């Protein structure tokens, strides 16, 4: 039996007064810790995780998905301590790869900054440096400002495209299908993620984050415009930037096969950044 054929391990893990819904998917190679986007529960990423031929650890933060409600509001740095304890729980003692999508990209940056010895490589998808960012389309941000389920704002490909960006309704239909599995956060879960974000910026220390990093961005992202990825690539010492042409904010769902190929090439390659890596296919 291959490692990938083993069943997923679903748990509710008690950590520092919180109870997190987690899923560990077996596989070969270095485990990938996956940090999800704002108020998105891990079920949204089912197809993406299934396409990854590597061990993947996903989690729902407090008040998200089926995790218990928030017991204590935490800043981003305090949330990363929960992640370190989560790795301990799964006995992942050697450095892991960390990927963050959107809001989860901020958490991933902070984890790499505060727990550098636990991160082998970093992947940032559709994200920015925090509140000091180039903002997305106002209409899209306003639709995301309501603390309901993501599926309610993206019931079909056309609506998903109008909110998140992406140039093709058929590709954005995959977003709508994934968002159909989204559940509404609790009021405290929604507020806790805003609280962690408030005043947060990685800009002061990005130039010291010396970890091999892949930055991916959709050039039609309505939530986090592509210019934010270029800022990250400019400041991070060991960064590769890959632009997903025609991709919106949820390009990992629109272009799963393409993203997995790029991700595999980065995680399995010998890393040597150069000036050509500002939009390379390495």
């Amino acid at each position: 039996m291959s490692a990938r054929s083993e069943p997923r391990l679903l748990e509710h893990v008690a950590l520092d007064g919180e109870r997190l819904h987690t899923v560990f998917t077996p596989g070969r190679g270095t485990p990938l810790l996956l940090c999800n986007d704002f108020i998105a529960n891990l079920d949204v990423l089912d197809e993406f995780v299934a396409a990854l031929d590597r061990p993947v650890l996903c989690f729902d933060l407090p008040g998200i998905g089926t995790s218990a409600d928030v017991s204590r509001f935490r800043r981003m740095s305090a949330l990363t301590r929960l992640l370190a304890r989560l790795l301990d729980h799964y006995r992942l003692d050697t450095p892991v790869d960390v990927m963050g999508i959107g809001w989860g990209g901020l958490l991933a940056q902070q984890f790499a900054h505060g727990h550098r010895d636990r991160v082998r490589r970093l992947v940032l998808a559709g994200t920015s440096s925090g509140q000091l960012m180039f903002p997305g389309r106002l209409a899209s941000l306003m639709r995301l400002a309501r603390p309901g389920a993501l599926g309610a704002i993206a019931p079909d490909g056309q609506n998903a495209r109008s909110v998140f960006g992406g140039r093709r309704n058929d590709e954005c239909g995959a977003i709508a299908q994934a968002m159909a599995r989204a559940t509404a956060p609790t009021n405290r879960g929604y507020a806790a993620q805003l609280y962690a974000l408030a005043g947060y910026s990685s800009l002061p220390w990005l130039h010291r984050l010396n970890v091999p990093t892949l930055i991916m961005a959709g050039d039609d992202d309505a939530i986090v415009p592509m210019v934010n990825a270029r800022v990250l690539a400019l400041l991070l010492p060991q960064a590769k930037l890959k632009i997903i042409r025609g991709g919106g904010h949820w390009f990992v769902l629109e272009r799963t096969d393409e993203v997995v190929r790029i991700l595999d090439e980065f995680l399995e390659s010998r890393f040597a950044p150069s000036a050509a890596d500002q939009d390379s296919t390495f």
Side-chain angles (χ1 to χ4, degrees), residues 133-145 153 157-169 172 218-228 246-249 254:
M133 63 171 283
F134 292 89
R137 300 174 198 165
L138 180 60
S140 295
L141 296 175
M142 290 295 291
R143 290 174 72 177
L144 286 174
I153 66 170
Q158 184 174 356
N159 276 279
R161 181 183 180 192
S162 69
V163 175
F164 299 111
R167 296 209 178 103
R168 291 175 49 179
N169 281 349
C172 293
D219 66 0
D220 195 45
D221 190 336
I223 307 300
V224 183
M226 185 180 66
V227 63
N228 292 283
H249 184 65
E254 294 174 74

Side-chain angles (χ1 to χ4, degrees), residues 4-270:
R4 200 56 170 176
S5 66
E6 295 177 18
R8 299 190 305 166
L9 179 61
L10 284 72
E11 291 188 85
H12 282 81
V13 181
L15 300 169
D16 194 25
E18 309 289 359
R19 191 169 180 83
L20 305 186
H21 175 213
T22 68
V23 176
F24 182 74
T25 304
R28 295 188 179 89
T30 303
L32 178 69
L33 177 65
L34 188 53
C35 305
N36 211 346
D37 206 347
F38 182 68
I39 70 170
N41 51 297
L42 57 82
D43 304 88
V44 168
L45 296 175
D46 279 353
E47 279 84 4
F48 178 65
V49 172
L52 295 168
D53 189 20
R54 64 185 66 252
V56 184
L57 176 57
C58 301
F59 59 92
D60 284 332
L61 285 170
I64 306 299
T66 61
S67 288
D69 207 356
V70 180
S71 69
R72 177 165 63 89
F73 282 33
R74 291 172 165 85
R75 294 295 186 186
M76 204 69 74
S77 58
L79 288 175
T80 66
R81 290 193 287 273
L82 281 183
L83 299 192
R85 294 187 179 190
L86 184 60
L87 294 181
D88 292 340
H89 173 81
Y90 281 98
R91 299 181 179 178
L92 299 176
D93 301 321
T94 57
V96 299
D97 297 324
V98 180
M99 179 176 182
I101 302 169
W103 185 98
L106 306 179
L107 184 59
Q109 290 173 62
Q110 184 64 45
F111 185 78
H113 175 58
H115 303 270
R116 175 65 187 89
D117 60 327
R118 306 202 71 165
V119 180
R120 188 185 75 106
R121 293 192 179 186
L122 180 64
V123 180
L124 304 175
T127 193
S128 70
S129 61
Q131 286 202 327
L132 297 177
M133 63 171 283
F134 292 89
R137 300 174 198 165
L138 180 60
S140 295
L141 296 175
M142 290 295 291
R143 290 174 72 177
L144 286 174
R146 304 180 184 91
L150 292 172
I153 66 170
D156 53 44
Q158 184 174 356
N159 276 279
R161 181 183 180 192
S162 69
V163 175
F164 299 111
R167 296 209 178 103
R168 291 175 49 179
N169 281 349
D170 59 337
E171 291 181 343
C172 293
I175 300 175
Q177 292 173 11
M179 294 302 167
R181 298 190 296 273
T183 57
T186 67
N187 288 337
R188 285 178 62 83
Y190 180 86
Q193 291 203 334
L194 291 179
Y195 177 81
L197 176 63
Y200 179 80
S201 176
S202 60
L203 286 177
W205 44 259
L206 276 180
H207 65 286
R208 299 195 303 271
L209 190 56
N210 198 23
V211 56
T213 303
L214 170 65
I215 302 165
M216 289 189 284
D219 66 0
D220 195 45
D221 190 336
I223 307 300
V224 183
M226 185 180 66
V227 63
N228 292 283
R230 295 201 180 277
V231 171
L232 293 175
L234 179 66
L235 294 176
L236 285 162
Q238 295 193 66
K240 291 177 179 282
L241 173 61
K242 179 60 183 177
I243 305 302
I244 307 300
R245 306 297 175 184
H249 184 65
W250 278 105
F251 58 82
V252 298
L253 303 178
E254 294 174 74
R255 308 276 187 84
T256 296
D257 291 344
E258 179 182 354
V259 171
V260 169
R261 177 186 60 79
I262 294 168
L263 188 63
D264 285 345
E265 289 177 2
F266 170 70
L267 295 179
E268 296 168 10
S269 68
R270 296 182 63 182

